[in-house]
Amino acid sequence: MKNKRQIPFHQYIISILCVAFLAGGSCYIYFDYQYKKQLANTPVQNSELKKVDNLYNEIINNYVGKVDEKKLVDGALKGMTEALDDPYSSYLNEPEADELDQSLAGSFEGIGATMTMMDELPTVAQAPIEGSPAAKAGIKANDIVLKVDDKETKGKTLSQVVSKIRGKKGTEVRLTIKRGEETFELKIKRDTIPIETVKGEIDKQDPTIGSIKITSFGENTYKELQDTIKNLRKDGAKTFVIDLRQNPGGLLDQVEKMASMFLEDGKTIVKFEDKKGNTSEDVASTDLDGGFKVTEPTVVLVDEGSASASEIFAAALKESGNKKIIGTKTFGKGTVQTIKNLNDKSEIKLTVLKWLTPKGEWIHKKGLEPTITADYPDFAYLSPISRDKTLKAGDSSPVVKNVNALLNALGYEVNPDTSDFTEQTKEAVNAVQTDNDLPVTGEVDNDTAAQIEIEVGKKIKDNDQAYETAIKELQHENKKN
């Protein structure tokens, strides 16, 4: 077993759906924030706990079968947290706690998807990390994993499923995914999850606009963002687009420093509320941002994959910085959990606080509404192509219908509503293969499917209505100035 990372009691995390272990990469949000004074210093003593002790002794002393004492205790502890009926609170036994600690450290290889259990099936909790194998394969939030390498996941624990999905860089895993009424198979090559969290470039059409993509809020994201802004300024940027779409979150200390950069000192970044209704807040300050301020016109892009720390950042800039938020409604995650080691390598993750926007709004399960609504084109929400078999003329299935829709989105004369692999489908596939130096077979094998998805991805990027709206807003701001 690898050395465990010890997480102090006062370090808080916000998770998207609990218990969400990462199949590679870190998407948990944990808060290094002092709230000990808001938590009880001593556990509540309850005479009802004697019933638990009595039952334990009764089983140990009289049950006729073999008893695994550790398993018995784990079951009791899990049952206690499950009785809270809170998907974000849970007891983690040693293997599960180790999985979580490693995910927080972000020190392992995998596919970059966050998993949770819903209705006894492993489910993708949120958008995969951008650039990760899961993202490249087209996995989306709420996808249900029915099989891993042809092995059923029903009846397995989350830890068991994740251990099968994770693996060494370069190895392949096959997932059978259910999305809505559609079921398809994906072959995904595991990799090291990208640790660079900020990418910046000058907009290709307007050299005065700096385009910044933030994929998560990691340990160095504040410094990365600061360096990126400095470099873009040198390259001529006078305004900025901050893209938080599909950003599942990250560290509170980083998002606070980053939000502070865009706000006047003293402006509220985020508020917290405990179970008694007591509130506190964090505000922009030199202590947070070191005096580094971004006063240029700035807009923020969000979507339904923007969660937790992304929502804190967007809400802070919207409500305290009067910045325009462009895109679609965000995920909506407004509770805070704390992790406590139980002194035996197990841990408890417990909901202890709410976080609120600067104006005091709790966006939990509601999401943050954008200032301006804009989205990707409809074909951006088509499913990836199932890899369970090669598709060819004469086939008819929902998978073929999806291929037809993707080909139609690329401009080929294919009926997007038919489930049949028609002659038009074959001609379009031939064209894709010819244009990309693939064997011209007219059949959709793994390589052809991957190329179709790559081409669609390019077209989505070229038809990014939210980004185009952001550019127009900034150009309007430039004219006013």
Side-chain angles (χ1 to χ4, degrees):
M1 187 179 71
K2 296 182 180 179
N3 293 331
K4 262 180 76 106
R5 176 180 176 182
Q6 297 300 318
I7 304 177
F9 182 38
H10 66 270
Q11 288 186 322
Y12 290 81
I13 65 173
I14 292 180
S15 60
I16 302 305
L17 285 174
C18 191
V19 173
F21 296 93
L22 295 178
S26 176
C27 291
Y28 272 94
I29 298 180
Y30 72 97
F31 283 16
D32 185 9
Y33 197 86
Q34 303 292 336
Y35 267 108
K36 286 183 178 179
K37 62 184 179 181
Q38 293 183 323
L39 302 177
N41 293 320
T42 57
V44 176
Q45 300 297 324
N46 194 316
S47 61
E48 290 294 313
L49 291 177
K50 292 181 180 178
K51 293 170 64 176
V52 177
D53 190 46
N54 290 338
L55 177 59
Y56 175 81
N57 289 326
E58 182 70 20
I59 293 173
I60 294 297
N61 294 325
N62 298 316
Y63 179 65
V64 69
K66 185 177 180 180
V67 177
D68 185 330
E69 295 183 25
K70 187 177 186 305
K71 189 174 182 180
L72 199 64
V73 172
D74 280 353
L77 294 170
K78 280 184 178 292
M80 197 176 297
T81 54
E82 287 172 2
L84 296 172
D85 197 25
D86 173 21
Y88 300 100
S89 295
S90 59
Y91 165 76
L92 312 178
N93 60 27
E94 182 180 345
E96 293 168 338
D98 193 50
E99 291 275 6
L100 174 58
D101 294 346
Q102 288 187 53
S103 74
L104 291 174
S107 59
F108 55 85
E109 298 170 341
I111 68 169
T114 309
M115 306 298 295
T116 185
M117 292 298 281
M118 294 184 69
D119 298 326
E120 300 182 353
L121 286 170
T123 304
V124 179
Q126 61 201 60
I129 300 170
E130 182 175 338
S132 67
K136 292 176 181 177
I139 286 180
K140 296 184 179 182
N142 299 318
D143 282 351
I144 299 171
V145 182
L146 298 177
K147 295 180 183 179
V148 180
D149 290 331
D150 291 328
K151 299 291 180 63
E152 298 278 352
T153 59
K154 190 172 182 62
K156 305 291 185 183
T157 67
L158 186 59
S159 183
Q160 289 172 327
V161 174
V162 169
S163 67
K164 295 295 184 183
I165 296 176
R166 286 174 53 189
K168 291 184 179 180
K169 175 181 178 180
T171 60
E172 192 175 77
V173 62
R174 286 180 293 120
L175 303 181
T176 302
I177 302 291
K178 182 178 181 182
R179 179 181 298 165
E181 298 301 316
E182 182 182 3
T183 300
F184 53 91
E185 183 177 287
L186 296 176
K187 294 178 182 178
I188 305 176
K189 186 174 289 187
R190 302 178 179 98
D191 201 352
T192 301
I193 305 306
I195 57 174
E196 184 183 48
T197 58
V198 180
K199 297 178 182 179
E201 63 180 3
I202 294 294
D203 180 73
K204 293 179 174 58
Q205 303 300 320
D206 190 330
T208 69
I209 297 176
S211 178
I212 301 172
K213 176 69 176 176
I214 303 174
T215 58
S216 64
F217 294 84
E219 293 180 356
N220 298 310
T221 305
Y222 164 70
K223 183 66 166 57
E224 289 181 38
L225 178 60
Q226 188 181 78
D227 291 342
T228 299
I229 289 173
K230 288 179 180 178
N231 290 333
L232 289 174
R233 283 171 171 168
K234 290 179 182 177
D235 292 338
K238 305 296 182 184
T239 58
F240 298 104
V241 178
I242 307 294
D243 191 347
L244 298 180
R245 289 175 296 178
Q246 301 298 300
N247 181 325
L251 307 181
L252 177 67
D253 69 325
Q254 296 294 301
V255 70
E256 287 187 335
K257 290 177 180 179
M258 294 160 66
S260 183
M261 289 165 49
F262 296 86
L263 303 178
E264 296 177 5
D265 287 350
K267 291 287 188 178
T268 301
I269 297 171
V270 61
K271 293 181 178 180
F272 297 97
E273 181 180 312
D274 66 14
K275 65 184 298 181
K276 296 180 180 180
N278 299 316
T279 60
S280 60
E281 65 178 30
D282 289 348
V283 300
S285 68
T286 301
D287 289 341
L288 284 175
D289 57 40
F292 184 87
K293 294 292 186 181
V294 181
T295 57
E296 295 93 337
T298 300
V299 297
V300 179
L301 300 181
V302 297
D303 66 3
E304 72 283 350
S306 305
S308 297
S310 294
E311 294 173 293
I312 291 174
F313 184 92
L317 267 64
K318 178 184 181 183
E319 295 183 3
S320 291
N322 199 30
K323 307 293 186 186
K324 290 181 179 177
I325 309 301
I326 299 171
T328 58
K329 187 168 64 174
T330 61
F331 183 88
K333 174 64 176 70
T335 58
V336 181
Q337 287 71 45
T338 182
I339 287 185
K340 184 177 182 179
N341 190 293
L342 298 179
N343 301 321
D344 64 348
K345 297 183 180 180
S346 63
E347 296 172 346
I348 182 169
K349 182 155 70 71
L350 188 68
T351 298
V352 293
L353 296 168
K354 299 176 181 179
W355 73 260
L356 313 174
T357 71
K359 291 184 178 179
E361 182 182 358
W362 193 37
I363 66 166
H364 192 61
K365 296 184 178 180
K366 297 186 296 183
L368 180 72
E369 293 286 351
T371 311
I372 301 173
T373 299
D375 200 1
Y376 290 111
D378 290 343
F379 60 79
Y381 296 97
L382 293 171
S383 299
I385 301 171
S386 179
R387 304 297 205 272
D388 58 344
K389 67 175 184 178
T390 297
L391 305 173
K392 57 185 182 299
D395 287 345
S396 181
S397 70
V399 177
V400 174
K401 182 178 181 180
N402 187 56
V403 170
N404 285 330
L406 291 167
L407 291 169
N408 180 265
L410 291 175
Y412 295 103
E413 293 184 4
V414 177
N415 182 357
D417 299 319
T418 181
S419 298
D420 299 330
F421 199 115
T422 64
E423 186 62 33
Q424 287 76 20
T425 306
K426 182 177 180 179
E427 290 176 4
V429 171
N430 282 335
V432 171
Q433 293 170 333
T434 300
D435 293 342
N436 293 280
D437 297 322
L438 295 172
V440 182
T441 63
E443 299 178 352
V444 181
D445 57 9
N446 186 65
D447 290 340
T448 302
Q451 191 60 49
I452 291 172
E453 291 168 354
I454 289 171
E455 297 302 318
V456 171
K458 292 177 182 177
K459 187 158 186 180
I460 291 170
K461 188 174 181 180
D462 291 339
N463 291 272
D464 187 345
Q465 297 165 13
Y467 184 79
E468 290 174 2
T469 301
I471 297 302
K472 291 177 181 177
E473 287 295 320
L474 291 176
Q475 289 173 335
H476 180 67
E477 288 290 328
N478 276 337
K479 288 180 180 180
K480 290 197 303 184
N481 295 332

